């Protein structure tokens, strides 16, 4: 009997659950997609092999016996799990379920990744999405370890073309931000030499935005400021701008976040004589791993946000304002 119970088929478990739920063999048979005689034979076969009656017939319908109650309790759980498995698998194949883990530099997160995630969640709330906002070096390490389905990050000097599909995403420029009461806030067009004796906050050495600034100072024949606070946190930058006359090094996306509603911070951008370009970030997808349907769906939305492709027209656009305390 024990061996027989362990070998019960899903259709048998579904019939037991349906009889207990509806109380009539005919209704249970309909639910299970079989004829009433077939359902009757299946029930009789189970009762014969188990050696006990599972249901008793009463004027009010079929009622589970004590032995049947034990079977019904577990059958309901197993049928529920089987149904959930089918639903989850269908959702996974259709890009409506499963999980996605992605990473992005701050500019990429604000410009494309966060809006695309909100687009995805608006029509597929069951998808589990994880987003890391970090430096390009950290994101590249994670991508190599298999932590991410794809990233928006900078490639750097290494040749990753054999390991990743790489699409150019967006160029960026360094912008200089100060609070409205800063001595240089109304200075008009300024050179970096005009600002070299001010207090600065910028990323540490090795960060692309810091490298871009180093090149810009070098091209102007001016040394990098000595009076600086090194941080990559947007939250820390906001606090420094509020509390001091610091010059903050930011990207366009961060500036838009702080200067636009609902934040509308009392900050201004300095008008530099020369633009300060940063190495562009890219969409990077591992070549050696299959991407789930949900990840492919999110990737299509990111590409649409960046003007790189077209995505499913049923997705609607959402606006986003977010603060992430990580680096470019």
């Amino acid at each position: 009997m024990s061996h027989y119970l362990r070998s019960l088929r899903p259709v048998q478990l579904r019939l037991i659950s349906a009889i207990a739920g509806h109380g009539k063999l005919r209704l249970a048979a309909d639910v299970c997609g079989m004829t009433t005689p077939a359902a009757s034979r299946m029930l009789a076969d189970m009762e014969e092999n188990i050696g006990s009656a599972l249901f008793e017939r009463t004027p009010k319908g079929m009622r589970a016996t004590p032995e049947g109650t034990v079977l019904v309790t577990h059958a309901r759980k197993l049928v529920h799990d089987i149904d959930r498995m089918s639903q989850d698998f269908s959702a996974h194949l259709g890009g409506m379920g499963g999980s996605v883990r992605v990473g992005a530099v701050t500019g990429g997160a604000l410009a494309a990744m966060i809006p695309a995630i909100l687009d995805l969640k608006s029509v597929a709330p069951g998808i589990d999405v994880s987003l890391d906002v970090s430096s390009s070096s950290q994101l590249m390490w994670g991508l190599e370890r298999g932590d991410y389905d794809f990233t928006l990050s900078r490639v750097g000097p290494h040749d990753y073309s054999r390991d990743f599909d790489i699409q150019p995403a967006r160029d960026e420029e360094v912008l200089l931000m100060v609070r409205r009461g800063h001595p240089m806030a109304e200075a008009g067009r300024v050179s970096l030499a005009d600002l070299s004796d001010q207090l600065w906050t910028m990323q540490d050495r090795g960060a692309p935005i810091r490298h871009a600034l180093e090149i810009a100072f070098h091209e102007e024949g001016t040394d990098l400021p000595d009076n600086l606070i090194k941080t990559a946190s947007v939250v820390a930058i906001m606090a420094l701008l509020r509390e001091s006359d610091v010059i903050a090094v930011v990207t366009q996306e961060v500036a838009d976040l702080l200067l636009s509603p609902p934040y509308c911070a009392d900050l201004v951008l300095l008008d530099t004589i020369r633009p300060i370009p940063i190495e562009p970030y890219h969409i990077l997808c591992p070549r050696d791993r299959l991407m789930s349907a949900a990840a492919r769906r999110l990737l299509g939305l990111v590409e649409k946000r960046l003007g790189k492709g077209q995505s499913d027209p049923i997705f609607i656009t959402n606006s986003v304002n977010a603060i992430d305390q990580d680096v470019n």
Side-chain angles (χ1 to χ4, degrees):
M1 180 185 66
S2 178
H3 175 74
Y4 177 78
L5 288 172
R6 286 197 298 268
S7 64
L8 284 175
R9 292 173 290 142
V11 65
Q12 294 171 297
L13 297 170
R14 191 174 298 278
L15 178 62
I16 292 171
S17 178
I19 293 172
H22 294 279
K24 295 184 181 298
L25 189 61
R26 177 179 58 80
L27 295 177
D30 290 343
V31 169
C32 295
M34 63 177 68
T35 65
T36 302
S40 180
R41 288 193 298 270
M42 182 177 289
L43 177 60
D45 179 72
M46 284 190 284
E47 290 178 327
E48 180 180 350
N49 281 278
I50 292 172
S52 297
L54 300 178
F55 295 92
E56 59 177 335
R57 287 170 171 80
T58 73
K60 293 185 179 181
M62 300 181 69
R63 186 174 62 188
T65 63
E67 293 80 7
T69 300
V70 174
L71 216 56
V72 167
T73 300
H74 292 281
R76 282 175 170 162
K77 294 177 183 177
L78 293 169
V79 168
H80 174 271
D81 287 346
I82 291 171
D83 288 344
R84 183 60 186 267
M85 175 190 69
S86 176
Q87 294 166 6
D88 288 351
F89 191 73
S90 296
H92 176 80
L93 290 180
M96 300 296 287
S99 62
V100 183
R101 183 168 185 184
V102 290
V105 295
T106 303
L110 295 174
M113 192 70 84
I114 292 174
I117 289 171
L118 291 178
D119 288 345
L120 179 65
K121 294 292 283 186
S122 70
V123 294
I127 295 178
D128 182 15
V129 182
S130 296
L131 169 63
D132 286 343
V133 181
S134 188
S135 66
S136 292
S137 58
Q138 291 291 335
L139 294 172
M140 292 304 299
W141 291 336
L143 202 58
E144 289 181 295
R145 291 194 303 266
D147 293 343
Y148 305 115
D149 291 295
F150 65 92
T151 64
L152 291 177
S153 53
R154 295 179 174 83
V155 179
H158 302 291
D159 180 12
Y160 290 105
S161 58
R162 293 184 179 181
D163 302 315
F164 307 110
D165 288 321
I166 303 174
Q167 296 184 62
R170 182 166 292 179
D171 296 329
E172 289 185 296
E173 289 185 4
V174 170
L175 301 178
L176 306 182
M177 178 176 282
V178 297
R179 66 179 178 179
R180 194 170 297 278
H182 192 282
M184 303 299 292
E186 299 181 4
R189 303 194 74 191
V190 294
S191 68
L192 294 179
D194 297 331
L195 307 172
S196 60
D197 60 346
Q198 301 289 322
L199 171 64
W200 287 67
T201 180
M202 65 183 71
Q203 285 78 2
D204 204 350
R205 291 185 181 276
I209 194 170
R210 167 71 176 263
H211 183 61
L213 203 62
E214 289 171 347
I215 292 175
F217 270 94
H218 175 75
E219 289 178 346
E220 284 201 14
T222 304
D223 292 334
L224 202 70
D226 293 324
N227 188 12
L228 61 87
I229 300 169
K230 293 179 285 187
T231 183
S233 166
V234 174
V235 173
I237 291 170
M238 291 174 65
L240 289 168
L241 286 167
R242 183 187 65 185
E243 301 293 338
S244 70
D245 285 332
V246 72
I247 298 176
V249 180
V250 300
T251 60
Q252 184 67 59
E253 287 81 4
V254 173
D256 289 343
L257 173 69
L258 298 179
L259 299 178
S260 302
Y263 301 112
C264 299
D266 196 24
L267 305 168
V268 296
L269 294 173
L270 299 180
D271 184 12
T272 55
I273 294 174
R274 299 173 58 184
I276 308 173
I278 315 173
E279 176 193 349
Y281 58 83
H282 299 74
I283 304 173
L284 289 100
C285 305
R287 288 179 178 268
D288 60 349
R289 294 193 298 275
L290 292 175
M291 189 176 290
S292 69
R296 289 196 303 270
R297 205 160 195 176
L298 178 57
L299 175 60
L301 289 167
V302 169
E303 290 174 337
K304 183 179 180 181
R305 285 281 178 172
L306 294 170
K308 300 298 179 181
Q310 298 298 319
S311 64
D312 191 329
I314 69 169
F315 286 95
I316 62 175
T317 302
N318 291 279
S319 62
V320 62
N321 287 288
I323 297 176
D324 287 295
Q325 46 185 342
D326 295 285
V327 300
N328 282 279

